[in-house]
Amino acid sequence: MTDELAPVLAAFHAQSHAKDVAQVETLFSGPALALGPTGGAGGQAPALPALEPLRGLDSGGPPLGGPWTPVQRMLAASVEAVRVRRVSAADRYPVHRAYPSPRGLFGADLYVVPAGGGPGSGCLRVDPQSHALQPTPGARVPADLETGLAGARLVVAVDQRRLPPEYGRLRPSLALLEGGHLAATLGLTLARAGLRPRTRLAPVAAPLPDGPTACAVITLDPDGDEGGPAVPPESTARVADATAPAGRRLRDWLDDRTSGLSTANLVTSGHVSPERGARVTDALTAALGAVRPLSPAPGALRLYRMALAHDRLDDRTARELEPDGSWRPTAPGTTAPRRGPARTVPRTGATSFSSSLGFTLAVDFAPWARRHGHHAQTVLHTLLGWIAQWGCLGAAATGLCARPMRNYEEADWAAVLGLEPDQTPAYQLWVRAERGSYMDVPVDAAAPAPGHGGSTP
């Protein structure tokens, strides 16, 4: 281990084995409901004629047709990916989007960066509540969006300071994981809008305001993109095909994404069998296959499925999942070669199952540190969030909910799962049956003023 890698590995260890997480009581980051912090006053709510056709599109494809321009498609896809979808007044974490966030505080933002924009040129934040393009300090909204945003990049940026300080050393990884969830959702909506998103998972130079830091950039011109670890458009399309429910509107599918009631657990949530959760497995293995070329070494990124044997709470099993190479869904009840043999998981007080079906993403961090140096944290945690989001969407496609987890005892979980010494269980996803829709209130932007040409909810 070189001197340059030592602080990188120490930082990863601090987030995984010395998190110093305290009891978190903060629910919101301010006196108002956390629908998303405003990035600046004013802004322009652009005319989005492609938004309603995109929302009404069959989730299973084909992509959006029609006369819409690339800029119109990009903006419609951006709004549909990031917007606040509903408020659950009966839950502790009431604000919902198409992707999860710790306690519904949403530390990730989406920015539109005009082509050629560099430091000092500014960028535009896509507001999740009003759908407006909000200029960052020193920037302005182009008078002609078609000209001003032609060739623009989309940047996902995160700010760990929006998360409660009680999360301690977990805050950086939690923020980056959310950024990966948002990047995957954006990749889906852009692909369904008929575009070809290339998602680069790495720090990038962008004229962001003070606070947020970029963790992913999405470009729509793959041939002209910068280097670095990236998910090509073909891979995103394959994962979307393996995850999407045919015959349902895109908007309805994304609206259904939920982590479920914050109080649900193994006892209070209905049983979810591996067969019922097959779409989640298919989505996660497809995502794993899509990013396998980015792995710096064999075994540096692995996926495990945890389940109850014969519906008995004391009989727990785990098996490693491998991508099958075709990225096609597996029919419920069939046996796929990527599903390895199950092994018994000992029951301990420190490794309680959160529900009857769960998944663990495990990593060997040293190869990632050697490949990416000080950027390894950003690359890896954004990538883990990107993979897990497809599992969340797979759950929504089958009427289930999926809750990500990061705060647990990694050493204990590594032991009961039988992981190798260099593997760390870095992220978990638990699938549940209770959707927690009681007293849900849909949220969307208000209808635009007459003559402004926007779309109505």
Side-chain angles (χ1 to χ4, degrees), residues 168-204:
R169 294 188 182 96
L170 262 186
R171 295 168 86 190
S173 60
L174 288 174
L176 291 168
L177 289 166
E178 182 185 328
H181 281 272
L182 172 53
T185 310
L186 184 60
L188 167 67
T189 57
L190 289 166
R192 287 297 183 251
L195 300 172
R196 290 172 49 80
R198 173 184 170 91
T199 305
R200 182 185 174 205
L201 307 168
V204 294

PDB file of all heavy atoms in Angstrom, residues 168-204:
ATOM      1  N   GLY A 168     -22.777  11.515  11.465  1.00  0.00           N
ATOM      2  CA  GLY A 168     -21.328  11.443  11.630  1.00  0.00           C
ATOM      3  C   GLY A 168     -20.595  11.156  10.335  1.00  0.00           C
ATOM      4  O   GLY A 168     -20.838  11.778   9.299  1.00  0.00           O
ATOM      5  N   ARG A 169     -19.680  10.165  10.399  1.00  0.00           N
ATOM      6  CA  ARG A 169     -18.853   9.852   9.235  1.00  0.00           C
ATOM      7  C   ARG A 169     -19.628   9.180   8.112  1.00  0.00           C
ATOM      8  O   ARG A 169     -19.066   8.941   7.037  1.00  0.00           O
ATOM      9  CB  ARG A 169     -17.683   8.967   9.670  1.00  0.00           C
ATOM     10  CG  ARG A 169     -16.695   9.656  10.608  1.00  0.00           C
ATOM     11  CD  ARG A 169     -15.462   8.781  10.822  1.00  0.00           C
ATOM     12  NE  ARG A 169     -14.526   9.399  11.758  1.00  0.00           N
ATOM     13  CZ  ARG A 169     -14.489   9.120  13.060  1.00  0.00           C
ATOM     14  NH1 ARG A 169     -15.339   8.244  13.564  1.00  0.00           N
ATOM     15  NH2 ARG A 169     -13.607   9.712  13.849  1.00  0.00           N
ATOM     16  N   LEU A 170     -20.884   8.848   8.348  1.00  0.00           N
ATOM     17  CA  LEU A 170     -21.708   8.271   7.278  1.00  0.00           C
ATOM     18  C   LEU A 170     -22.186   9.319   6.279  1.00  0.00           C
ATOM     19  O   LEU A 170     -22.610   8.974   5.177  1.00  0.00           O
ATOM     20  CB  LEU A 170     -22.934   7.567   7.865  1.00  0.00           C
ATOM     21  CG  LEU A 170     -22.878   6.062   8.046  1.00  0.00           C
ATOM     22  CD1 LEU A 170     -24.233   5.539   8.498  1.00  0.00           C
ATOM     23  CD2 LEU A 170     -22.465   5.375   6.759  1.00  0.00           C
ATOM     24  N   ARG A 171     -22.148  10.584   6.649  1.00  0.00           N
ATOM     25  CA  ARG A 171     -22.747  11.611   5.795  1.00  0.00           C
ATOM     26  C   ARG A 171     -22.184  11.638   4.374  1.00  0.00           C
ATOM     27  O   ARG A 171     -22.956  11.714   3.414  1.00  0.00           O
ATOM     28  CB  ARG A 171     -22.617  12.988   6.452  1.00  0.00           C
ATOM     29  CG  ARG A 171     -23.404  13.117   7.744  1.00  0.00           C
ATOM     30  CD  ARG A 171     -23.018  14.375   8.497  1.00  0.00           C
ATOM     31  NE  ARG A 171     -23.784  15.526   8.050  1.00  0.00           N
ATOM     32  CZ  ARG A 171     -23.502  16.780   8.413  1.00  0.00           C
ATOM     33  NH1 ARG A 171     -22.446  17.024   9.176  1.00  0.00           N
ATOM     34  NH2 ARG A 171     -24.252  17.781   7.999  1.00  0.00           N
ATOM     35  N   PRO A 172     -20.858  11.554   4.172  1.00  0.00           N
ATOM     36  CA  PRO A 172     -20.369  11.595   2.788  1.00  0.00           C
ATOM     37  C   PRO A 172     -20.894  10.450   1.936  1.00  0.00           C
ATOM     38  O   PRO A 172     -21.339  10.664   0.801  1.00  0.00           O
ATOM     39  CB  PRO A 172     -18.847  11.524   2.955  1.00  0.00           C
ATOM     40  CG  PRO A 172     -18.579  12.026   4.336  1.00  0.00           C
ATOM     41  CD  PRO A 172     -19.740  11.554   5.142  1.00  0.00           C
ATOM     42  N   SER A 173     -20.867   9.227   2.463  1.00  0.00           N
ATOM     43  CA  SER A 173     -21.319   8.099   1.649  1.00  0.00           C
ATOM     44  C   SER A 173     -22.826   8.140   1.447  1.00  0.00           C
ATOM     45  O   SER A 173     -23.319   7.799   0.363  1.00  0.00           O
ATOM     46  CB  SER A 173     -20.891   6.773   2.285  1.00  0.00           C
ATOM     47  OG  SER A 173     -21.422   6.619   3.581  1.00  0.00           O
ATOM     48  N   LEU A 174     -23.594   8.552   2.433  1.00  0.00           N
ATOM     49  CA  LEU A 174     -25.045   8.649   2.271  1.00  0.00           C
ATOM     50  C   LEU A 174     -25.406   9.635   1.164  1.00  0.00           C
ATOM     51  O   LEU A 174     -26.307   9.376   0.347  1.00  0.00           O
ATOM     52  CB  LEU A 174     -25.704   9.073   3.584  1.00  0.00           C
ATOM     53  CG  LEU A 174     -25.735   8.022   4.697  1.00  0.00           C
ATOM     54  CD1 LEU A 174     -26.278   8.640   5.985  1.00  0.00           C
ATOM     55  CD2 LEU A 174     -26.574   6.816   4.292  1.00  0.00           C
ATOM     56  N   ALA A 175     -24.725  10.780   1.143  1.00  0.00           N
ATOM     57  CA  ALA A 175     -25.013  11.770   0.104  1.00  0.00           C
ATOM     58  C   ALA A 175     -24.661  11.224  -1.278  1.00  0.00           C
ATOM     59  O   ALA A 175     -25.419  11.385  -2.244  1.00  0.00           O
ATOM     60  CB  ALA A 175     -24.242  13.060   0.383  1.00  0.00           C
ATOM     61  N   LEU A 176     -23.522  10.546  -1.399  1.00  0.00           N
ATOM     62  CA  LEU A 176     -23.106  10.004  -2.694  1.00  0.00           C
ATOM     63  C   LEU A 176     -24.021   8.876  -3.144  1.00  0.00           C
ATOM     64  O   LEU A 176     -24.327   8.743  -4.339  1.00  0.00           O
ATOM     65  CB  LEU A 176     -21.666   9.521  -2.615  1.00  0.00           C
ATOM     66  CG  LEU A 176     -20.608  10.611  -2.469  1.00  0.00           C
ATOM     67  CD1 LEU A 176     -19.262  10.006  -2.107  1.00  0.00           C
ATOM     68  CD2 LEU A 176     -20.502  11.436  -3.756  1.00  0.00           C
ATOM     69  N   LEU A 177     -24.463   8.044  -2.211  1.00  0.00           N
ATOM     70  CA  LEU A 177     -25.411   6.979  -2.569  1.00  0.00           C
ATOM     71  C   LEU A 177     -26.679   7.579  -3.154  1.00  0.00           C
ATOM     72  O   LEU A 177     -27.199   7.091  -4.164  1.00  0.00           O
ATOM     73  CB  LEU A 177     -25.729   6.133  -1.335  1.00  0.00           C
ATOM     74  CG  LEU A 177     -24.604   5.221  -0.838  1.00  0.00           C
ATOM     75  CD1 LEU A 177     -24.922   4.709   0.564  1.00  0.00           C
ATOM     76  CD2 LEU A 177     -24.383   4.057  -1.788  1.00  0.00           C
ATOM     77  N   GLU A 178     -27.193   8.633  -2.531  1.00  0.00           N
ATOM     78  CA  GLU A 178     -28.379   9.295  -3.083  1.00  0.00           C
ATOM     79  C   GLU A 178     -28.104   9.850  -4.469  1.00  0.00           C
ATOM     80  O   GLU A 178     -28.952   9.770  -5.365  1.00  0.00           O
ATOM     81  CB  GLU A 178     -28.845  10.421  -2.156  1.00  0.00           C
ATOM     82  CG  GLU A 178     -30.107  11.110  -2.670  1.00  0.00           C
ATOM     83  CD  GLU A 178     -30.514  12.308  -1.841  1.00  0.00           C
ATOM     84  OE1 GLU A 178     -30.275  12.294  -0.618  1.00  0.00           O
ATOM     85  OE2 GLU A 178     -31.070  13.267  -2.420  1.00  0.00           O
ATOM     86  N   GLY A 179     -26.908  10.407  -4.669  1.00  0.00           N
ATOM     87  CA  GLY A 179     -26.562  10.888  -6.000  1.00  0.00           C
ATOM     88  C   GLY A 179     -26.611   9.784  -7.038  1.00  0.00           C
ATOM     89  O   GLY A 179     -27.044   9.995  -8.169  1.00  0.00           O
ATOM     90  N   GLY A 180     -26.166   8.571  -6.670  1.00  0.00           N
ATOM     91  CA  GLY A 180     -26.252   7.445  -7.589  1.00  0.00           C
ATOM     92  C   GLY A 180     -27.679   7.044  -7.884  1.00  0.00           C
ATOM     93  O   GLY A 180     -28.018   6.710  -9.032  1.00  0.00           O
ATOM     94  N   HIS A 181     -28.545   7.074  -6.868  1.00  0.00           N
ATOM     95  CA  HIS A 181     -29.972   6.782  -7.093  1.00  0.00           C
ATOM     96  C   HIS A 181     -30.566   7.772  -8.096  1.00  0.00           C
ATOM     97  O   HIS A 181     -31.303   7.377  -9.012  1.00  0.00           O
ATOM     98  CB  HIS A 181     -30.728   6.866  -5.770  1.00  0.00           C
ATOM     99  CG  HIS A 181     -30.594   5.660  -4.883  1.00  0.00           C
ATOM    100  ND1 HIS A 181     -31.429   4.573  -4.975  1.00  0.00           N
ATOM    101  CD2 HIS A 181     -29.729   5.383  -3.871  1.00  0.00           C
ATOM    102  CE1 HIS A 181     -31.087   3.667  -4.060  1.00  0.00           C
ATOM    103  NE2 HIS A 181     -30.058   4.142  -3.376  1.00  0.00           N
ATOM    104  N   LEU A 182     -30.259   9.056  -7.916  1.00  0.00           N
ATOM    105  CA  LEU A 182     -30.782  10.063  -8.834  1.00  0.00           C
ATOM    106  C   LEU A 182     -30.221   9.868 -10.233  1.00  0.00           C
ATOM    107  O   LEU A 182     -30.956   9.980 -11.228  1.00  0.00           O
ATOM    108  CB  LEU A 182     -30.442  11.463  -8.313  1.00  0.00           C
ATOM    109  CG  LEU A 182     -30.752  12.644  -9.237  1.00  0.00           C
ATOM    110  CD1 LEU A 182     -32.200  12.621  -9.715  1.00  0.00           C
ATOM    111  CD2 LEU A 182     -30.428  13.963  -8.549  1.00  0.00           C
ATOM    112  N   ALA A 183     -28.930   9.553 -10.360  1.00  0.00           N
ATOM    113  CA  ALA A 183     -28.324   9.375 -11.670  1.00  0.00           C
ATOM    114  C   ALA A 183     -28.971   8.217 -12.430  1.00  0.00           C
ATOM    115  O   ALA A 183     -29.185   8.295 -13.646  1.00  0.00           O
ATOM    116  CB  ALA A 183     -26.818   9.141 -11.526  1.00  0.00           C
ATOM    117  N   ALA A 184     -29.298   7.123 -11.724  1.00  0.00           N
ATOM    118  CA  ALA A 184     -29.962   5.999 -12.380  1.00  0.00           C
ATOM    119  C   ALA A 184     -31.364   6.381 -12.842  1.00  0.00           C
ATOM    120  O   ALA A 184     -31.783   6.026 -13.958  1.00  0.00           O
ATOM    121  CB  ALA A 184     -30.022   4.808 -11.426  1.00  0.00           C
ATOM    122  N   THR A 185     -32.099   7.099 -12.001  1.00  0.00           N
ATOM    123  CA  THR A 185     -33.440   7.534 -12.383  1.00  0.00           C
ATOM    124  C   THR A 185     -33.388   8.441 -13.594  1.00  0.00           C
ATOM    125  O   THR A 185     -34.216   8.326 -14.509  1.00  0.00           O
ATOM    126  CB  THR A 185     -34.111   8.260 -11.202  1.00  0.00           C
ATOM    127  OG1 THR A 185     -34.003   7.462 -10.029  1.00  0.00           O
ATOM    128  CG2 THR A 185     -35.574   8.542 -11.497  1.00  0.00           C
ATOM    129  N   LEU A 186     -32.427   9.336 -13.621  1.00  0.00           N
ATOM    130  CA  LEU A 186     -32.274  10.231 -14.760  1.00  0.00           C
ATOM    131  C   LEU A 186     -31.899   9.464 -16.018  1.00  0.00           C
ATOM    132  O   LEU A 186     -32.397   9.760 -17.114  1.00  0.00           O
ATOM    133  CB  LEU A 186     -31.218  11.284 -14.432  1.00  0.00           C
ATOM    134  CG  LEU A 186     -30.986  12.374 -15.477  1.00  0.00           C
ATOM    135  CD1 LEU A 186     -32.256  13.157 -15.733  1.00  0.00           C
ATOM    136  CD2 LEU A 186     -29.862  13.295 -15.030  1.00  0.00           C
ATOM    137  N   GLY A 187     -31.029   8.463 -15.886  1.00  0.00           N
ATOM    138  CA  GLY A 187     -30.698   7.642 -17.038  1.00  0.00           C
ATOM    139  C   GLY A 187     -31.925   6.974 -17.622  1.00  0.00           C
ATOM    140  O   GLY A 187     -32.092   6.888 -18.846  1.00  0.00           O
ATOM    141  N   LEU A 188     -32.811   6.477 -16.748  1.00  0.00           N
ATOM    142  CA  LEU A 188     -34.049   5.847 -17.209  1.00  0.00           C
ATOM    143  C   LEU A 188     -34.931   6.827 -17.960  1.00  0.00           C
ATOM    144  O   LEU A 188     -35.388   6.543 -19.073  1.00  0.00           O
ATOM    145  CB  LEU A 188     -34.803   5.277 -16.008  1.00  0.00           C
ATOM    146  CG  LEU A 188     -36.246   4.860 -16.272  1.00  0.00           C
ATOM    147  CD1 LEU A 188     -36.311   3.670 -17.224  1.00  0.00           C
ATOM    148  CD2 LEU A 188     -36.971   4.545 -14.963  1.00  0.00           C
ATOM    149  N   THR A 189     -35.205   7.995 -17.368  1.00  0.00           N
ATOM    150  CA  THR A 189     -36.124   8.931 -18.006  1.00  0.00           C
ATOM    151  C   THR A 189     -35.547   9.487 -19.309  1.00  0.00           C
ATOM    152  O   THR A 189     -36.287   9.701 -20.275  1.00  0.00           O
ATOM    153  CB  THR A 189     -36.493  10.082 -17.058  1.00  0.00           C
ATOM    154  OG1 THR A 189     -35.305  10.761 -16.625  1.00  0.00           O
ATOM    155  CG2 THR A 189     -37.241   9.555 -15.836  1.00  0.00           C
ATOM    156  N   LEU A 190     -34.242   9.699 -19.349  1.00  0.00           N
ATOM    157  CA  LEU A 190     -33.623  10.172 -20.589  1.00  0.00           C
ATOM    158  C   LEU A 190     -33.721   9.113 -21.681  1.00  0.00           C
ATOM    159  O   LEU A 190     -34.011   9.427 -22.854  1.00  0.00           O
ATOM    160  CB  LEU A 190     -32.170  10.549 -20.351  1.00  0.00           C
ATOM    161  CG  LEU A 190     -31.918  11.820 -19.539  1.00  0.00           C
ATOM    162  CD1 LEU A 190     -30.468  11.889 -19.104  1.00  0.00           C
ATOM    163  CD2 LEU A 190     -32.300  13.065 -20.326  1.00  0.00           C
ATOM    164  N   ALA A 191     -33.489   7.850 -21.322  1.00  0.00           N
ATOM    165  CA  ALA A 191     -33.602   6.781 -22.312  1.00  0.00           C
ATOM    166  C   ALA A 191     -35.029   6.658 -22.820  1.00  0.00           C
ATOM    167  O   ALA A 191     -35.264   6.481 -24.028  1.00  0.00           O
ATOM    168  CB  ALA A 191     -33.125   5.461 -21.704  1.00  0.00           C
ATOM    169  N   ARG A 192     -35.997   6.760 -21.914  1.00  0.00           N
ATOM    170  CA  ARG A 192     -37.397   6.669 -22.329  1.00  0.00           C
ATOM    171  C   ARG A 192     -37.807   7.899 -23.140  1.00  0.00           C
ATOM    172  O   ARG A 192     -38.761   7.842 -23.913  1.00  0.00           O
ATOM    173  CB  ARG A 192     -38.295   6.508 -21.108  1.00  0.00           C
ATOM    174  CG  ARG A 192     -38.201   5.124 -20.473  1.00  0.00           C
ATOM    175  CD  ARG A 192     -38.682   4.067 -21.449  1.00  0.00           C
ATOM    176  NE  ARG A 192     -38.674   2.725 -20.860  1.00  0.00           N
ATOM    177  CZ  ARG A 192     -37.827   1.775 -21.198  1.00  0.00           C
ATOM    178  NH1 ARG A 192     -36.878   2.013 -22.115  1.00  0.00           N
ATOM    179  NH2 ARG A 192     -37.902   0.583 -20.640  1.00  0.00           N
ATOM    180  N   ALA A 193     -37.091   9.002 -22.977  1.00  0.00           N
ATOM    181  CA  ALA A 193     -37.378  10.202 -23.765  1.00  0.00           C
ATOM    182  C   ALA A 193     -36.773  10.125 -25.162  1.00  0.00           C
ATOM    183  O   ALA A 193     -36.873  11.083 -25.937  1.00  0.00           O
ATOM    184  CB  ALA A 193     -36.870  11.443 -23.045  1.00  0.00           C
ATOM    185  N   GLY A 194     -36.138   9.017 -25.484  1.00  0.00           N
ATOM    186  CA  GLY A 194     -35.572   8.847 -26.811  1.00  0.00           C
ATOM    187  C   GLY A 194     -34.168   9.383 -26.958  1.00  0.00           C
ATOM    188  O   GLY A 194     -33.699   9.588 -28.086  1.00  0.00           O
ATOM    189  N   LEU A 195     -33.469   9.597 -25.829  1.00  0.00           N
ATOM    190  CA  LEU A 195     -32.102  10.096 -25.865  1.00  0.00           C
ATOM    191  C   LEU A 195     -31.135   8.970 -25.486  1.00  0.00           C
ATOM    192  O   LEU A 195     -31.543   7.880 -25.109  1.00  0.00           O
ATOM    193  CB  LEU A 195     -31.957  11.289 -24.911  1.00  0.00           C
ATOM    194  CG  LEU A 195     -32.874  12.477 -25.231  1.00  0.00           C
ATOM    195  CD1 LEU A 195     -32.815  13.517 -24.133  1.00  0.00           C
ATOM    196  CD2 LEU A 195     -32.521  13.093 -26.583  1.00  0.00           C
ATOM    197  N   ARG A 196     -29.856   9.244 -25.592  1.00  0.00           N
ATOM    198  CA  ARG A 196     -28.825   8.239 -25.332  1.00  0.00           C
ATOM    199  C   ARG A 196     -27.894   8.750 -24.228  1.00  0.00           C
ATOM    200  O   ARG A 196     -26.830   9.306 -24.500  1.00  0.00           O
ATOM    201  CB  ARG A 196     -28.040   7.938 -26.609  1.00  0.00           C
ATOM    202  CG  ARG A 196     -28.866   7.185 -27.649  1.00  0.00           C
ATOM    203  CD  ARG A 196     -28.127   7.066 -28.985  1.00  0.00           C
ATOM    204  NE  ARG A 196     -26.753   6.587 -28.842  1.00  0.00           N
ATOM    205  CZ  ARG A 196     -26.429   5.306 -28.675  1.00  0.00           C
ATOM    206  NH1 ARG A 196     -27.371   4.382 -28.609  1.00  0.00           N
ATOM    207  NH2 ARG A 196     -25.150   4.941 -28.578  1.00  0.00           N
ATOM    208  N   PRO A 197     -28.302   8.553 -22.967  1.00  0.00           N
ATOM    209  CA  PRO A 197     -27.493   9.099 -21.862  1.00  0.00           C
ATOM    210  C   PRO A 197     -26.267   8.254 -21.564  1.00  0.00           C
ATOM    211  O   PRO A 197     -26.332   7.023 -21.455  1.00  0.00           O
ATOM    212  CB  PRO A 197     -28.479   9.063 -20.686  1.00  0.00           C
ATOM    213  CG  PRO A 197     -29.382   7.902 -20.996  1.00  0.00           C
ATOM    214  CD  PRO A 197     -29.540   7.910 -22.497  1.00  0.00           C
ATOM    215  N   ARG A 198     -25.142   8.917 -21.438  1.00  0.00           N
ATOM    216  CA  ARG A 198     -23.905   8.292 -20.953  1.00  0.00           C
ATOM    217  C   ARG A 198     -23.651   8.858 -19.566  1.00  0.00           C
ATOM    218  O   ARG A 198     -23.547  10.084 -19.393  1.00  0.00           O
ATOM    219  CB  ARG A 198     -22.738   8.605 -21.888  1.00  0.00           C
ATOM    220  CG  ARG A 198     -21.369   8.125 -21.373  1.00  0.00           C
ATOM    221  CD  ARG A 198     -20.263   8.567 -22.318  1.00  0.00           C
ATOM    222  NE  ARG A 198     -18.941   8.331 -21.757  1.00  0.00           N
ATOM    223  CZ  ARG A 198     -18.221   7.224 -21.929  1.00  0.00           C
ATOM    224  NH1 ARG A 198     -18.723   6.249 -22.664  1.00  0.00           N
ATOM    225  NH2 ARG A 198     -17.033   7.107 -21.393  1.00  0.00           N
ATOM    226  N   THR A 199     -23.563   7.988 -18.567  1.00  0.00           N
ATOM    227  CA  THR A 199     -23.462   8.404 -17.176  1.00  0.00           C
ATOM    228  C   THR A 199     -22.052   8.167 -16.668  1.00  0.00           C
ATOM    229  O   THR A 199     -21.615   7.021 -16.517  1.00  0.00           O
ATOM    230  CB  THR A 199     -24.465   7.629 -16.306  1.00  0.00           C
ATOM    231  OG1 THR A 199     -25.781   7.797 -16.840  1.00  0.00           O
ATOM    232  CG2 THR A 199     -24.431   8.138 -14.873  1.00  0.00           C
ATOM    233  N   ARG A 200     -21.333   9.250 -16.439  1.00  0.00           N
ATOM    234  CA  ARG A 200     -19.973   9.171 -15.909  1.00  0.00           C
ATOM    235  C   ARG A 200     -20.024   9.349 -14.400  1.00  0.00           C
ATOM    236  O   ARG A 200     -20.540  10.357 -13.900  1.00  0.00           O
ATOM    237  CB  ARG A 200     -19.078  10.226 -16.542  1.00  0.00           C
ATOM    238  CG  ARG A 200     -17.634  10.152 -16.063  1.00  0.00           C
ATOM    239  CD  ARG A 200     -16.821  11.300 -16.616  1.00  0.00           C
ATOM    240  NE  ARG A 200     -15.472  11.320 -16.058  1.00  0.00           N
ATOM    241  CZ  ARG A 200     -14.718  12.387 -15.973  1.00  0.00           C
ATOM    242  NH1 ARG A 200     -15.172  13.542 -16.415  1.00  0.00           N
ATOM    243  NH2 ARG A 200     -13.516  12.324 -15.457  1.00  0.00           N
ATOM    244  N   LEU A 201     -19.517   8.358 -13.662  1.00  0.00           N
ATOM    245  CA  LEU A 201     -19.586   8.346 -12.215  1.00  0.00           C
ATOM    246  C   LEU A 201     -18.240   8.771 -11.653  1.00  0.00           C
ATOM    247  O   LEU A 201     -17.365   7.950 -11.373  1.00  0.00           O
ATOM    248  CB  LEU A 201     -19.950   6.945 -11.725  1.00  0.00           C
ATOM    249  CG  LEU A 201     -21.222   6.358 -12.362  1.00  0.00           C
ATOM    250  CD1 LEU A 201     -21.352   4.896 -12.056  1.00  0.00           C
ATOM    251  CD2 LEU A 201     -22.441   7.129 -11.903  1.00  0.00           C
ATOM    252  N   ALA A 202     -18.058  10.061 -11.506  1.00  0.00           N
ATOM    253  CA  ALA A 202     -16.783  10.584 -11.017  1.00  0.00           C
ATOM    254  C   ALA A 202     -16.934  12.073 -10.739  1.00  0.00           C
ATOM    255  O   ALA A 202     -17.850  12.716 -11.259  1.00  0.00           O
ATOM    256  CB  ALA A 202     -15.679  10.357 -12.054  1.00  0.00           C
ATOM    257  N   PRO A 203     -16.041  12.632  -9.924  1.00  0.00           N
ATOM    258  CA  PRO A 203     -16.048  14.093  -9.762  1.00  0.00           C
ATOM    259  C   PRO A 203     -15.777  14.772 -11.105  1.00  0.00           C
ATOM    260  O   PRO A 203     -14.948  14.305 -11.892  1.00  0.00           O
ATOM    261  CB  PRO A 203     -14.909  14.346  -8.773  1.00  0.00           C
ATOM    262  CG  PRO A 203     -14.656  13.030  -8.118  1.00  0.00           C
ATOM    263  CD  PRO A 203     -14.987  11.995  -9.132  1.00  0.00           C
ATOM    264  N   VAL A 204     -16.466  15.842 -11.386  1.00  0.00           N
ATOM    265  CA  VAL A 204     -16.285  16.570 -12.635  1.00  0.00           C
ATOM    266  C   VAL A 204     -16.208  18.055 -12.328  1.00  0.00           C
ATOM    267  O   VAL A 204     -16.710  18.535 -11.306  1.00  0.00           O
ATOM    268  CB  VAL A 204     -17.451  16.300 -13.617  1.00  0.00           C
ATOM    269  CG1 VAL A 204     -17.450  14.851 -14.057  1.00  0.00           C
ATOM    270  CG2 VAL A 204     -18.795  16.663 -12.992  1.00  0.00           C
TER     271      VAL A 204
END
